[in-house]
């Protein structure tokens, strides 16, 4: 049985803005074992978010291939890719991306809406998930009424709404104070303990120390780890 859950093969990404070309990724070969906790580090602007977006099927590479659980996703149609994402991948972005007009509970429920989950189930599961991260008393709170750490915990459980086996996080503690950061870290450690594959981009030394594998990206390639 193949226990590599994420694999990339000679991944390239070039962004073109007017006449300027940015080679964000220049040949990345990555292998992430199922159930592992990996951390991606490296200087600003060197391709970490780009790599996460390609692995998560949010964007397409200029060249190279991405495999999720042995299935190549690079050639999938937009619709099939969206379906695979909804089923298998939870994404927490670099900046909070909760919908400002919706409550914590509604923000979590939206993830299930796109997967066609009945409304009653959406509501029950949203409450259950928010309870898991200690936010039962904040179901009705809007993002503006939550602290940074609380908002990020909502974003994390929203990423878990459809029970994905892969959790991709792009600097989930980037904008947090140390207490909120510990809350988020505890939530992440728990998920890894439950068998999820976790990949985190971070500048945070504490997370990097806890991770089983550290992958260092520099100038669009992996210079350490694999
Ligand atoms: N949509 C885009 N269009 C054009 N250029 C882009 C786009 N997204 C990223 N880039 C460029 O690609 C390079 C890599 O960006 P990326 O966001 O992957 O860096 P990063 O390692 O995540 O940085 P940070 O640590 O600051 O988040 C940068 O030079 C950036 O300016
Ligand atoms: Mg980034």
């Amino acid at each position: 049985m193949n226990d590599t859950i994420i694999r990339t093969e000679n991944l390239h990404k070039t962004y073109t803005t007017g006449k300027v070309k940015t080679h964000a990724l220049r040949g990345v070969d990555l292998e992430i074992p199922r159930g592992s906790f990996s951390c991606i580090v490296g200087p600003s602007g060197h391709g970490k978010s780009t790599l996460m977006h390609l692995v998560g099927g949010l964007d397409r590479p200029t060249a190279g291939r991405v495999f999720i659980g042995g299935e190549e996703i690079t050639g999938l149609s937009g619709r099939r890719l969206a379906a695979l994402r909804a089923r298998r991948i939870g994404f927490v972005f670099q900046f909070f991306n909760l919908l400002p007009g919706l409550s914590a509970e509604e923000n979590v429920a939206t993830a299930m809406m796109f997967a066609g989950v009945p409304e009653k189930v959406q509501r029950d599961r949203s409450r259950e998930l928010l309870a898991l991260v200690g936010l039962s008393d904040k179901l009705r709170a809007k993002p503006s009424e939550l602290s940074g750490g609380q908002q990020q915990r909502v974003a994390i459980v929203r990423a878990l709404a459809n029970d994905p086996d892969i959790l991709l996080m792009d600097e989930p503690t980037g904008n947090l104070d140390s207490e909120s950061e510990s809350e988020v870290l505890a939530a992440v450690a728990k998920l890894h303990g439950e068998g999820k594959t976790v990949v985190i981009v971070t500048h945070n030394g504490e997370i990097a120390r806890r991770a089983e594998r550290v992958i260092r990206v520099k100038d669009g390639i992996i210079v350490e780890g694999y």
Side-chain angles (χ1 to χ4, degrees):
M1 174 149 167
N2 182 2
D3 69 349
T4 296
I5 192 158
I6 298 169
R7 188 161 73 82
T8 74
E9 217 176 82
N10 198 21
L11 211 55
H12 286 254
K13 179 71 179 179
T14 303
Y15 295 107
T16 308
T17 310
K19 284 185 181 161
V20 181
K21 284 192 189 302
T22 305
H23 300 287
L25 295 181
R26 300 183 299 124
V28 169
D29 295 300
L30 181 69
E31 264 189 39
I32 305 278
R34 189 183 302 276
S36 61
F37 178 8
S38 309
C39 168
I40 299 181
V41 300
S44 174
H46 282 236
K48 304 181 300 296
S49 293
T50 301
L51 178 57
M52 292 291 264
H53 291 162
L54 296 184
V55 164
L58 293 170
D59 199 0
R60 294 178 188 276
T62 310
R65 313 207 285 170
V66 178
F67 299 84
I68 299 292
E71 180 186 5
E72 181 172 1
I73 68 166
T74 333
L76 293 182
S77 68
R79 238 179 93 185
R80 292 200 50 204
L81 195 57
L84 177 132
R85 246 187 354 243
R87 199 174 70 246
R88 301 208 56 180
I89 301 173
F91 216 113
V92 178
F93 294 91
Q94 182 162 10
F95 300 104
F96 301 146
N97 60 334
L98 300 179
L99 297 164
L102 301 185
S103 69
E105 187 185 334
E106 290 163 341
N107 261 288
V108 177
T110 51
M112 288 177 267
M113 205 169 77
F114 294 122
V117 174
E119 233 172 85
K120 164 90 169 75
V121 180
Q122 286 180 28
R123 207 163 39 240
D124 292 348
R125 179 144 172 83
S126 299
R127 291 179 183 175
E128 193 182 298
L129 284 166
L130 287 164
L132 267 179
V133 291
L135 292 176
S136 291
D137 56 340
K138 298 289 185 187
L139 300 177
R140 295 288 155 89
K142 300 271 167 66
S144 61
E145 298 160 341
L146 297 171
S147 74
Q150 290 170 339
Q151 287 181 49
Q152 202 60 324
R153 280 183 278 159
V154 175
I156 290 172
V157 296
R158 183 180 55 181
L160 294 173
N162 299 313
D163 199 24
D165 44 4
I166 303 170
L167 197 57
L168 303 178
M169 302 182 155
D170 196 350
E171 302 203 35
T173 66
N175 305 297
L176 303 180
D177 63 26
S178 58
E179 193 171 322
S180 309
E181 197 176 280
S182 316
E183 291 171 355
V184 169
L185 264 178
V188 171
K190 195 162 154 191
L191 294 170
H192 173 230
E194 285 165 8
K196 305 270 184 214
T197 304
V198 180
V199 185
I200 303 189
V201 174
T202 186
H203 290 287
N204 179 312
E206 177 60 30
I207 300 184
R209 268 190 299 282
R210 289 206 201 180
E212 295 165 329
R213 316 165 66 248
V214 175
I215 297 151
R216 189 172 303 276
V217 172
K218 194 157 184 288
D219 287 325
I221 55 168
I222 294 178
V223 293
E224 189 189 323
Y226 58 94

